[in-house]
Amino acid sequence: MRILPLSEFKEIFKKEYEQYCILLDKAQSKQQAIMENDIDELAEIVSYEQEIIELIEELESKRHSFLNDFAAEKKAADTEFSFAELMAFMPEEREGMQELKADFLTVLDQLQQINEENKQLIEDSLKISEYSLELIRQAVGKENVYSKKDKSDSLRQTNHIINKKI
């Protein structure tokens, strides 16, 4: 078991924060794409977000591994090691790390809020789409649209919105 220096923990934590900031930016872009109904842009953003999430998972794994190893070295292996306890070993870094933690928590809150808003936008879009489809189904069932009978201009009953012959 090799313990990373505390400076490496700080770098891991900082990189993880930076990736969450990028993820927040992408969530905001995704919100705009949802509102503009830009499916291609949305697909591109979701794909990029997946790459960011994979990187965040790697960094988070490294951070947890570091904390577990550090806790095993400094305390009994079966106890949890808190951020505050880690700061006791980094007195010169305490203020900067606490600011970084506060910024990190703020970004996580903002990300959660935007994700909730995006979820609601998507649900609303689906409701509108379902309503529109139901209106179309009802319209098709009541009268005919764009079909001819025996070269006359009268309409006839059909199950299609637009006659394929047109």
Side-chain angles (χ1 to χ4, degrees), residues 107-127:
V107 166
L108 289 176
D109 286 342
Q110 291 172 340
L111 187 58
Q112 182 177 4
Q113 180 182 354
I114 287 176
N115 282 337
E116 286 297 320
E117 291 171 3
N118 287 349
K119 177 184 173 188
Q120 189 62 50
L121 285 170
I122 290 170
E123 288 174 358
D124 291 347
S125 293
L126 286 173
K127 286 177 185 175

Side-chain angles (χ1 to χ4, degrees), residues 61-76:
S61 177
K62 285 181 184 179
R63 184 172 49 87
H64 283 290
S65 178
F66 173 87
L67 289 174
N68 290 337
D69 292 347
F70 196 79
E73 181 182 292
K74 300 296 180 185
K75 302 171 28 169

Side-chain angles (χ1 to χ4, degrees), residues 11-55:
E11 285 304 309
I12 291 169
F13 194 61
K14 188 175 180 181
K15 286 179 184 177
E16 191 175 357
Y17 166 74
E18 290 167 352
Q19 293 305 309
Y20 271 103
C21 288
I22 293 169
L23 195 60
L24 176 62
D25 181 57
K26 289 300 170 188
Q28 291 167 335
S29 297
K30 185 167 50 175
Q31 188 172 59
Q32 189 64 36
I34 291 168
M35 289 189 293
E36 293 174 358
N37 200 28
D38 189 342
I39 304 301
D40 293 333
E41 178 70 11
L42 190 58
E44 190 176 310
I45 292 169
V46 169
S47 176
Y48 186 70
E49 278 181 325
Q50 187 58 43
E51 293 174 23
I52 296 168
I53 289 169
E54 289 172 9
L55 182 55

Side-chain angles (χ1 to χ4, degrees), residues 68-92:
N68 290 337
D69 292 347
F70 196 79
E73 181 182 292
K74 300 296 180 185
K75 302 171 28 169
D78 61 335
T79 60
E80 291 189 21
F81 201 67
S82 71
F83 189 84
E85 289 173 313
L86 181 63
M87 291 302 98
F89 295 97
M90 303 174 71
E92 68 284 348

